Amino acid sequence: MLTWTEWLIGLIPFALIALLLWIRLQAAGASPHLAVRIILGLFAWVGLAILGLVMASIGWRTGNAWLLSTGALIAVACLLILRRRLQRLWEEFPLLPIDSDENQDRKHEAG
C-alpha cells in the first residue's frame, strides 16, 4: 500500500512538467482554459501509456501472453500518439526567437 508521502513524491515530476507546459503555452499565446485542456489531454495519454506498461509487466510476470501483448500495444500506441500530439502542439504554438526579423524591424522603427 502506498502512503500519501509516496504519492506526493511520485506526483512532483508531473506537477513540474505541467508547470513548464503551462509557462510554454502561455508564452506562446494560449488562453488559460485551452492550456488546462491541453495539459489534461496530454496527461491522459501518459496515464494510458503507464497503464499499458503495467499491463505488460503483469503479463510478463504471470506468463500471460495476451496481457503482455495487449499492454505492449497500448503503451507503444499511446507513446506514438503522445509524440504526434506534442509535435503538433509545438507547431501550433511556436515561440518567436529573441532576435527574429519582426523584432529587429520594431527596434529600427522605434529608434
Side-chain angles (χ1 to χ4, degrees):
M1 186 83 170
L2 294 174
T3 63
W4 67 271
T5 54
E6 291 169 333
W7 277 104
L8 181 66
I9 291 170
L11 292 177
I12 287 174
F14 290 103
L16 292 174
I17 291 170
L19 177 67
L20 291 174
L21 279 171
W22 176 269
I23 291 170
R24 166 67 166 81
L25 290 170
Q26 292 297 305
S31 69
H33 179 69
L34 180 62
V36 168
R37 277 191 25 216
I38 289 171
I39 291 170
L40 289 178
L42 290 174
F43 280 175
W45 286 111
V46 170
L48 283 174
I50 291 172
L51 176 68
L53 291 173
V54 168
M55 287 173 57
S57 67
I58 291 172
W60 179 265
R61 281 186 279 141
T62 61
N64 188 342
W66 283 105
L67 192 60
L68 172 65
S69 302
T70 305
L73 284 174
I74 290 172
V76 169
C78 288
L79 290 174
L80 290 174
I81 291 170
L82 186 64
R83 179 184 169 272
R84 189 180 66 205
R85 293 279 312 263
L86 283 171
Q87 185 177 10
R88 273 194 285 163
L89 182 67
W90 265 218
E91 291 170 357
E92 187 177 343
F93 295 103
L95 288 177
L96 292 175
I98 294 173
D99 291 324
S100 68
D101 293 333
E102 293 178 8
N103 288 341
Q104 294 210 2
D105 291 339
R106 290 180 190 159
K107 287 179 187 176
H108 290 299
E109 291 173 1

